[in-house]
Amino acid sequence: MTKSNMRDKIEEVGIHFSKRRSNRDKLRFMNRLASRLKAAGRALQMIEAGDRHVQSHHLVCGDLKKSRIVFLAAYDTGSRMLNPGYRYTPLDSRRNLREEMKNIAGYSVMTLAAAAAAVLLTRALWGGTALMQALAAAVDAAVLLLVFRWMKKPDNKMNMNRNSGGTAVLYACAEDTPRGCFVFVDNGVMSNQGFYETAEHLENREVVVLDSIAGTGTLFLACREEQVKRAEEMASAFDCEIRVLPLGEEQYKNTPLEGFPNGYMLTAGEERDGTVYVRHARRPSDMDLNVERMEKIRDGILKLI
């Protein structure tokens, strides 16, 4: 079997198509991904979900009905987190939601402050000379652009851990083999919406979510407590160290795996006080890469299918 060049896949996903938050950018990436997989002879299916406010487009490569195990990765990207000390917690969705709300509030406060400052400055300068009025107009225009940017919340263009790395590995696997089933999940980075939507189509199949696997740190395979033996069997297929991390029922429900009866998550990070943290996620510094381990993850997935 000829295997894809992992560095090429990382460059394609994480650099050339690094922004995948707007519908336009997602469509560009999906067109590229679908064309490459069709050229490799893969069967593709699009699952559409959502409502008029938020629409999701999940790309399925392979046969959902015949596959015993399905691998998933969120392919969309998120906005930039304002907090420089932000740490993503792949196994604590409630904490991630709180941090998301704080981030939205932070951008809102910045927007209101900029608008208020522009109004005060305009009032102070508008009654002066023509030069002062021109300066006030220029300031207003600059603030308007800034306010528009903050209202949209800037894209985080560097996103190897959230989640260009996982997407690149899934892409390589889907291109390398006609076996197995791979699902590229939309709206799975800033919320768990996409995982709930895809869960409706996967029934009781084994599901492995690839999340934050690009960088350094311990590699964990999280699962339900009663699935530890199966998780250990899976981990043995990988030529790299993986720590099986059993989750209690309440912990399991507080992850993107909640909708999957037989779900597993492969993620890398640092564990402190029972919580797994991922550094740099959703920040411009999200550039950590462990290409050799990503190749081993790809090879392990190919063994499992």
Side-chain angles (χ1 to χ4, degrees), residues 256-269:
L257 301 175
E258 181 183 5
F260 305 108
N262 297 304
Y264 304 81
M265 179 186 286
L266 190 64
T267 186

Side-chain angles (χ1 to χ4, degrees), residues 19-91:
K19 293 197 301 180
R20 304 181 298 276
R21 187 159 70 104
S22 69
N23 289 332
R24 183 188 65 179
D25 289 334
K26 290 179 186 178
L27 180 61
R28 287 180 60 244
F29 175 66
M30 279 288 99
N31 286 338
R32 169 68 173 182
L33 181 62
S35 67
R36 291 296 299 268
L37 295 178
K38 282 183 179 179
R42 306 295 175 254
L44 303 178
Q45 172 191 351
M46 186 70 76
I47 297 175
E48 297 185 345
D51 51 36
R52 62 178 182 175
H53 301 292
V54 181
Q55 296 179 344
S56 301
H57 305 277
H58 313 293
L59 182 66
V60 180
C61 178
D63 193 331
L64 275 177
K65 296 181 179 179
K66 294 182 180 179
S67 298
R68 176 181 55 84
I69 182 170
V70 180
F71 291 87
L72 297 83
Y75 73 83
D76 59 316
T77 55
S79 60
R80 182 179 302 173
M81 300 299 284
L82 289 171
N83 179 7
Y86 169 72
R87 296 290 185 270
Y88 167 61
T89 50
L91 299 172

Side-chain angles (χ1 to χ4, degrees), residues 2-265:
T2 302
K3 295 179 180 177
S4 302
N5 186 301
M6 186 57 65
R7 291 187 182 275
D8 289 346
K9 287 292 179 281
I10 292 168
E11 180 179 349
E12 185 176 352
V13 176
I15 298 177
H16 299 310
F17 293 92
S18 63
K19 293 197 301 180
R20 304 181 298 276
R21 187 159 70 104
S22 69
N23 289 332
R24 183 188 65 179
D25 289 334
K26 290 179 186 178
L27 180 61
R28 287 180 60 244
F29 175 66
M30 279 288 99
N31 286 338
R32 169 68 173 182
L33 181 62
S35 67
R36 291 296 299 268
L37 295 178
K38 282 183 179 179
R42 306 295 175 254
L44 303 178
Q45 172 191 351
M46 186 70 76
I47 297 175
E48 297 185 345
D51 51 36
R52 62 178 182 175
H53 301 292
V54 181
Q55 296 179 344
S56 301
H57 305 277
H58 313 293
L59 182 66
V60 180
C61 178
D63 193 331
L64 275 177
K65 296 181 179 179
K66 294 182 180 179
S67 298
R68 176 181 55 84
I69 182 170
V70 180
F71 291 87
L72 297 83
Y75 73 83
D76 59 316
T77 55
S79 60
R80 182 179 302 173
M81 300 299 284
L82 289 171
N83 179 7
Y86 169 72
R87 296 290 185 270
Y88 167 61
T89 50
L91 299 172
D92 190 345
S93 295
R94 284 190 287 271
R95 180 183 182 277
N96 293 332
L97 178 60
R98 290 195 300 270
E99 293 297 323
E100 199 70 56
M101 294 301 101
K102 290 178 186 177
N103 202 50
I104 293 172
Y107 277 111
S108 299
V109 170
M110 289 167 58
T111 299
L112 292 173
V119 169
L120 293 175
L121 187 61
T122 300
R123 285 182 176 178
L125 297 178
W126 199 252
T129 63
L131 179 62
M132 289 297 183
Q133 292 180 14
L135 178 61
V139 169
D140 286 347
V143 170
L144 184 63
L145 290 174
L146 196 61
V147 165
F148 180 70
R149 174 177 169 82
W150 285 344
M151 286 178 64
K152 284 183 61 181
K153 296 180 286 295
D155 288 301
N156 191 56
K157 296 179 182 179
M158 295 305 301
N159 43 60
M160 291 302 172
N161 266 311
R162 286 296 284 153
N163 185 33
S164 287
T167 302
V169 169
L170 200 71
Y171 180 6
C173 292
E175 192 173 62
D176 286 349
T177 179
R179 297 179 292 110
C181 185
F182 309 94
V183 182
F184 298 83
V185 178
D186 192 7
N187 291 317
V189 167
M190 294 179 67
S191 73
N192 292 341
Q193 175 182 331
F195 292 104
Y196 291 127
E197 292 168 349
T198 53
E200 298 175 7
H201 300 267
L202 296 177
E203 300 175 346
N204 292 322
R205 289 175 178 79
E206 288 184 335
V207 168
V208 180
V209 174
L210 307 181
D211 188 354
S212 305
I213 58 174
T216 57
T218 304
L219 195 58
F220 297 94
L221 183 59
C223 64
R224 276 193 163 104
E225 290 177 335
E226 58 268 28
Q227 295 168 328
V228 168
K229 184 176 180 181
R230 174 57 179 152
E232 290 173 346
E233 293 174 357
M234 288 185 181
S236 66
F238 297 84
D239 189 22
C240 55
E241 185 176 349
I242 296 179
R243 178 182 163 190
V244 173
L245 186 63
L247 304 175
E249 193 59 27
E250 289 305 312
Q251 290 176 300
Y252 187 89
K253 290 179 179 179
N254 188 29
T255 74
L257 301 175
E258 181 183 5
F260 305 108
N262 297 304
Y264 304 81
M265 179 186 286

